[in-house]
Amino acid sequence: MSDRVARLLPWLLVLPLLAMPLYVDGSWLIIGILGMAGAIGAIGLTVLTGTAGQLSLAHAFFLAVGAYGYAFLAAGSEPGGEASGLGLPSTVAALAAVLLAGLAGLAFSPVAARVKGLYLGVASLALVFIGEHVLRNAAPLTGGFNGRRVPTLSIGGFELTGRNPELVVLGIPFLERERLWYLSVLVLVVSIVVATRIVRGRPGRALRLMRDSAAAAGSMGVEVRRYQASAFVCSSMFAGVAGVLTALAFQYIVPQYFTLLLSVTFLAMVVIGGLGSVGGAVAGGVFVTALPLVLEKFSTSLTFLADPGTGGLDATMLAHLIFGASIVLVLVVEPGGLAALGGRLRTLVRRS
Amino acid sequence: MTRALTVEGVTLQFGGIRALDDLSFTVEPGTVHAVIGPNGAGKSSTFNVISGHYRPAAGSIRFGDTDLTEMAPHRIAREGIGRAFQNIALSGHATVVDNLMVARHRLTRAGFLATALGLPGARREERIHRERVREIADFVGLGGQLNASAGTLAYGDRKRLEIARALCTEPEILLLDEPAAGMPAFEKWDVASLVLSVRESLGISVVLVEHDMPVVMAIADHITVLDFGRLIAEGTPEEVQSSEAVIAAYLGETAAHDQAVTTAPSTTPTAC
Amino acid sequence: MKIVQLLFLGLSLGSIYALIALGFVVIYKGTKVINLAHGSLMLLGAYVVAVVSEHSNFGLGVAAGLVTAGLGAIVAERVVSLARTHDHLVPTILTIGLDVLLAAELSRRIGTEVFSMGDPWGDARVTLLGTVLPQARIAATIVGIAVIAAFFVVFRMTDFGTRMRASAEDAETAALMGISQRRVAMVSWAMGGAMACIAGIFLAAFPNAGLDHHSGIIALNAIPAIIIGGLDSSEGAVLGGLIVGITQSLVQGYADALHFLGGNAAPVAPYVVMLAVLMVRPSGIFGSKELARV
């Protein structure tokens, strides 16, 4: 098989994705939607951590900015609403929320530009903890401890995350989840294209050299500090997109979701996928997001799983054990992660 | 014609140690200018000060009329000072062509947004510069390995790639830090002729730090000799060779040094 | 005398954090890894202390806890060392994997229980300079000072300390001088683990409610400490720990006056201090500035 075909192969996966809502029910679609949101967030983190060599544990914070940003900007000031809003058109609000996440990343650049690698990783912990604190306490904006509702996204009266106006395709009613599914596929494809271009293009080359030798990057004319900050901003914008999608999927967001654990989960995604690989981040993102949800879905038939809260091994805990073990295993056995395995598979395909 | 590079009264301190002590010399346009001296004499420190990685405690560095002393490395690179590193600071996983394209950074514009959107300008720029990079790769003899990843190249080829990358910044003056170190004799002379052709066909001045004396004597127009961070002699190869001070400085370590030169890779390259 | 009370409490809390921070720093100096599994190691040690002292006595419990945490740390170090890579992020990311694993297993074992440490101080209080302080916190301060002092003696004055410092300076050269990097790594991790265990005991003791599956997360309070003090400075870790302890204590104590900060601001306040320090000194108060090797 030619190189070109091998390279196009992954795109063929999009076709079954498009047909999915015709075959599976909403409970599977929501797992897929969250998986795609995870994949988009993971793409952002792999650009930062894999390509630029900057560790970040603040990813959950930027997801929160995207999620809450959208909810705040799009929500009308309906009477009795628990938290305020600006009432912008929802599409504008979604885009603005992504920009807002980028701005939040930019605001951190005095630190992000000067602090390198591991140091940035632990320094960025500040954002998660301070962010969570703000989410809990800035009740007028965030709804506080109880969280806030997420407004429906619609274009010209057509609800992309609602059920109006009615739409039936091939006898299947397209409700919230079916519509959001297609939106997610679209956004995921755009994210993959954008990230691949950045990683392969001029910015990606500069970031890689910065990671491998900051001194050499400087001597090639790369403004190291500015690029370090830019990588951070870029990564937070992907997180912002993931945040908006997550919010739309949940329809209700609470501070307890955007904690350090979420940041760690994203790190698990990019490590399992293979640091620096966009395709790997997508695979890792879907795997890590979907695993606990799928386990939970089958928890009644998986008899060794206990009910949550009873102190036994429940689905979330099992998922954590699997993530932890996968991180360790991947880094010890195959640091290239799923991406390296995929690469080997491609070589096999090409040979046959 | 290129500009002259003037190092004037430069002193560099590390804690209590003076790595460079009131050092002055001038690299005339269009010459191959070697900086030599025993180990620890301050040769690499000199480069680091010129390229902005270390800031001198006193003194100045001027390139033509431009003062480089306080500039950050990327600004100095933009002034047209290219640098090849001694310990091969390449991106090991990236391809040869990507390693060279990064050196076009100062000559290109496409930022995150333009690249992400695949704007026509960004694409055109990429195409044009790839063409030029290919020419330079041919020039140093790496034309056949453009798509190999840098880490898999032979040692000599990685050294050449370092030089090619510095050339890809289209410098007016090129700083080469031990380009022939650790190479077998025939490859050393390849590098030597490469350095000469850089000057001949590209009209670039070269500042060269090198341990291999036969190579230095054969290709340098002018030599600056350092010892303990101080200038102890300078002049043409003939003048330097007959200088008492130089002989004295080298005698101390001639035995050990010759050993290091003849028994090949004394400096193991850091993995990249 | 509220301020004196708060400062005392802050200092005692700070000495506990200093122990954790010192553990982070020792491990970092020994192996250039930020051990993000430190919280779980602390939980592991304290959990063993609680379980063993329930069945026998506190002294035995502490011994068992120290040994378990030390051995656990050594195992962690060995696993981390398996990753042969030049990427300096990888070992630290690996510790996150270990943390997730260990935390999941411990929380499965602990479940919804809250363990008391079986320590001899209980909820006794002492009056000192007109302030009332929990005995356990006084003990924490004394033990903290003793352990830190012992650490500095070992680090500064023994042969082993010299070897460790040499490795921290320049691992390659130290290895060439015949210093076993593997031993230095294992001992530094074991020391870090044991110190975390001691800190864990006092963090679970009165006035805190006891040990639950979430206690490990408290170790992260030492992260601002090491950034404030400087990642590669033992003195910095101690100073940073004290700053974090006092900051938390003051913010907690004056919560009413500081209500604009929002509820429960004490755990977050050190991070604000940390960001402020980062703006002024990116490598911390005592941290050595990284000199680019060219």
Side-chain angles (χ1 to χ4, degrees):
Chain A
M1 227 186 278
S2 80
D3 247 22
R4 208 185 176 84
V5 177
R7 213 177 309 145
L8 286 175
L9 217 54
W11 289 112
L12 292 179
L13 290 174
V14 174
L15 291 179
L17 276 185
L18 291 178
M20 206 66 91
L22 302 174
Y23 297 101
V24 302
D25 67 22
S27 66
W28 280 107
L29 289 182
I30 195 76
I31 293 179
I33 292 165
L34 289 170
M36 286 188 267
I40 295 165
I43 290 173
L45 191 58
T46 214
V47 171
L48 182 67
T49 303
T51 310
Q54 295 280 77
L55 189 59
S56 168
L57 286 166
H59 224 50
F61 169 74
F62 294 108
L63 256 92
V65 174
Y68 278 92
Y70 170 72
F72 172 73
L73 294 170
S77 36
E78 318 116 56
E82 68 281 18
S84 60
L86 289 188
L88 295 181
S90 55
T91 41
V92 176
L95 292 176
V98 175
L99 284 180
L100 202 62
L103 283 177
L106 191 66
F108 194 59
S109 59
V111 175
R114 303 167 72 186
V115 179
K116 260 190 357 204
L118 280 184
Y119 230 79
L120 179 66
V122 282
S124 63
L125 273 175
L127 288 182
V128 186
F129 288 113
I130 294 173
E132 211 189 324
H133 182 74
V134 170
L135 292 185
R136 288 202 175 159
N137 287 285
L141 296 178
T142 64
F145 198 80
N146 296 321
R148 66 178 295 165
R149 217 172 48 75
V150 178
T152 311
L153 179 69
S154 55
I155 295 182
F158 182 83
E159 293 181 353
L160 289 168
T161 62
R163 42 182 69 189
N164 298 314
E166 233 170 87
L167 178 69
V168 179
V169 177
L170 298 174
I172 313 268
F174 270 32
L175 307 177
E176 296 91 340
R177 289 175 178 181
E178 282 80 5
R179 298 175 190 202
L180 184 53
W181 173 273
Y182 285 106
L183 180 68
S184 307
V185 172
L186 175 70
V187 177
L188 177 63
V189 168
V190 171
S191 301
I192 293 174
V193 171
V194 161
T196 311
R197 281 179 177 163
I198 288 176
V199 169
R200 290 196 186 149
R202 179 173 176 268
R205 289 188 293 254
L207 294 178
R208 264 193 299 279
L209 184 57
M210 246 171 53
R211 174 195 67 192
D212 294 332
S213 166
S219 283
M220 297 306 130
V222 179
E223 210 174 323
V224 173
R225 282 186 172 187
R226 207 183 63 121
Y227 253 70
Q228 237 166 260
S230 304
F232 203 78
V233 171
C234 170
S235 147
S236 20
M237 287 177 78
F238 277 101
V241 176
V244 175
L245 270 185
T246 307
L248 290 172
F250 283 145
Q251 298 184 327
Y252 200 94
I253 43 179
V254 288
Q256 293 87 304
Y257 183 74
F258 302 97
T259 58
L260 178 60
L261 184 65
L262 184 65
S263 289
V264 169
T265 314
F266 272 101
L267 211 54
M269 296 175 193
V270 297
V271 168
I272 292 171
L275 277 174
S277 153
V278 173
V282 173
V286 172
F287 170 71
V288 170
T289 315
L291 182 68
L293 301 172
V294 173
L295 284 176
E296 210 162 302
K297 201 165 157 58
F298 288 119
S299 61
T300 41
S301 37
L302 294 172
T303 46
F304 60 88
L305 287 182
D307 287 329
T310 56
L313 181 72
D314 61 38
T316 323
M317 227 174 265
L318 178 62
H320 282 180
L321 286 173
I322 296 176
F323 297 156
S326 319
I327 295 178
V328 174
L329 245 129
V330 164
L331 291 179
V332 170
V333 179
E334 174 53 275
L338 294 175
L341 293 181
R344 273 189 219 154
L345 204 67
R346 216 176 302 168
T347 325
L348 276 180
V349 170
R350 216 172 295 162
R351 253 185 234 150
S352 61
Chain B
M1 209 68 225
T2 60
R3 296 173 269 175
L5 179 76
T6 316
V7 174
E8 204 172 290
V10 164
T11 297
L12 179 69
Q13 300 266 127
F14 289 123
I17 303 159
R18 279 206 163 178
L20 296 177
D21 191 355
D22 195 22
L23 177 66
S24 305
F25 63 87
T26 300
V27 179
E28 296 297 341
T31 59
V32 173
H33 188 122
V35 178
I36 64 169
N39 282 323
K43 304 181 297 285
S44 287
S45 293
T46 307
F47 271 18
N48 284 333
V49 168
I50 297 174
S51 60
H53 294 293
Y54 294 163
R55 193 150 292 175
S60 71
I61 295 130
R62 285 193 318 279
F63 189 37
D65 296 327
T66 317
D67 186 7
L68 305 181
T69 321
E70 297 285 310
M71 277 190 190
H74 69 271
R75 298 264 319 277
I76 291 175
R78 286 174 198 173
E79 280 298 322
I81 295 180
R83 173 162 184 194
F85 290 82
Q86 178 195 352
N87 51 6
I88 312 187
L90 301 165
S91 285
H93 293 293
T95 59
V96 168
V97 75
D98 272 352
N99 268 293
L100 294 178
M101 281 297 283
V102 78
R104 308 301 287 181
H105 196 87
R106 76 172 181 111
L107 305 162
T108 45
R109 319 210 62 83
F112 279 82
L113 195 61
T115 311
L117 299 177
L119 295 183
R123 284 165 184 261
R124 194 178 334 114
E125 178 182 278
E126 181 88 5
R127 221 174 24 246
I128 294 168
H129 286 268
R130 260 176 203 277
E131 203 45 54
R132 175 67 181 146
V133 156
R134 217 164 279 142
E135 283 171 24
I136 293 173
D138 282 335
F139 180 75
V140 303
L142 287 172
Q145 290 164 297
L146 281 175
N147 292 316
S149 66
T152 63
L153 294 184
Y155 175 69
D157 286 341
R158 275 185 288 154
K159 283 294 239 187
R160 245 187 287 274
L161 180 54
E162 262 289 345
I163 300 173
R165 185 176 64 177
L167 285 175
C168 282
T169 63
E170 305 288 353
E172 272 183 64
I173 189 164
L174 180 63
L175 310 181
L176 291 179
D177 200 346
E178 301 202 25
M183 285 186 172
F186 69 93
E187 269 194 291
K188 277 182 185 167
W189 290 106
D190 275 358
V191 171
S193 65
L194 179 61
V195 171
L196 284 179
S197 60
V198 163
R199 190 195 47 184
E200 302 304 326
S201 46
L202 305 176
I204 298 170
S205 332
V206 178
V207 189
L208 177 73
V209 162
E210 184 51 62
H211 265 309
D212 191 280
M213 283 312 128
V215 168
V216 170
M217 294 304 160
I219 64 174
D221 301 307
H222 197 91
I223 300 178
T224 295
V225 191
L226 305 184
D227 195 21
F228 296 110
R230 245 168 304 191
L231 183 133
I232 57 167
E234 67 176 331
T236 63
E238 296 74 30
E239 286 164 3
V240 164
Q241 265 170 318
S242 54
S243 155
E244 299 279 325
V246 176
I247 295 165
Y250 268 92
L251 264 184
E253 64 159 48
T254 312
H257 185 74
D258 276 355
Q259 200 103 31
V261 172
T262 46
T263 54
S266 59
T267 42
T268 21
T270 35
C272 63
Chain C
M1 290 316 270
K2 187 176 179 185
I3 182 87
V4 179
Q5 163 106 4
L6 291 177
L7 284 177
F8 270 134
L9 281 173
L11 278 176
S12 64
L13 186 60
S15 55
I16 302 176
Y17 289 150
L19 280 179
I20 306 174
L22 203 51
F24 272 110
V25 169
V26 171
I27 289 172
Y28 183 77
K29 276 160 118 50
T31 52
K32 297 286 172 284
V33 179
I34 300 179
N35 175 27
L36 291 172
H38 217 60
S40 296
L41 282 175
M42 181 178 97
L43 182 59
L44 172 70
Y47 169 70
V48 170
V49 173
V51 171
V52 173
S53 57
E54 198 181 344
H55 293 289
S56 55
N57 62 57
F58 182 63
L60 213 60
V62 173
L66 287 176
V67 170
T68 314
L71 285 179
I74 290 178
V75 172
E77 191 280 323
R78 288 286 88 204
V79 174
V80 169
S81 74
L82 287 178
R84 279 176 296 267
T85 163
H86 293 292
D87 190 338
H88 68 295
L89 294 183
V90 162
T92 295
I93 297 177
L94 219 159
T95 64
I96 297 180
L98 290 176
D99 184 65
V100 173
L101 263 179
L102 192 53
E105 172 58 16
L106 284 170
S107 87
R108 189 180 72 79
R109 282 174 180 275
I110 295 172
T112 51
E113 269 183 89
V114 177
F115 288 92
S116 85
M117 298 310 293
D119 59 271
W121 307 290
D123 57 0
R125 281 161 242 241
V126 186
T127 311
L128 189 73
L129 296 176
T131 63
V132 183
L133 298 168
Q135 215 176 50
R137 282 291 155 91
I138 304 230
T141 316
I142 295 168
V143 171
I145 291 171
V147 172
I148 291 167
F151 169 82
F152 278 104
V153 168
V154 169
F155 204 60
R156 288 278 145 75
M157 307 196 183
T158 66
D159 200 36
F160 182 77
T162 315
R163 265 180 272 165
M164 271 197 60
R165 274 182 297 149
S167 310
E169 263 333 290
D170 185 343
E172 249 172 74
T173 314
L176 287 174
M177 309 284 274
I179 297 173
S180 160
Q181 292 309 290
R182 190 167 153 176
R183 256 188 65 200
V184 166
M186 291 192 340
V187 173
S188 55
W189 278 66
M191 282 167 73
M195 283 193 274
C197 172
I198 298 171
I201 296 170
F202 288 114
L203 279 176
F206 187 76
N208 288 350
L211 190 79
D212 62 27
H213 70 277
H214 232 69
S215 298
I217 201 101
I218 306 176
L220 290 178
N221 283 338
I223 294 274
I226 58 173
I227 299 277
I228 291 170
L231 195 49
D232 59 353
S233 160
S234 318
E235 297 86 348
V238 176
L239 179 68
L242 295 179
I243 291 176
V244 169
I246 291 172
T247 308
Q248 282 198 354
S249 166
L250 290 179
V251 172
Q252 182 87 53
Y254 292 109
D256 289 340
L258 298 171
H259 70 276
F260 61 90
L261 291 178
N264 201 16
V268 186
Y271 283 98
V272 179
V273 177
M274 174 186 111
L275 287 181
V277 171
L278 271 179
M279 302 281 178
V280 190
R281 288 186 67 96
S283 42
I285 296 174
F286 287 129
S288 50
K289 213 176 143 199
E290 200 183 314
L291 190 68
R293 289 206 178 180
V294 188

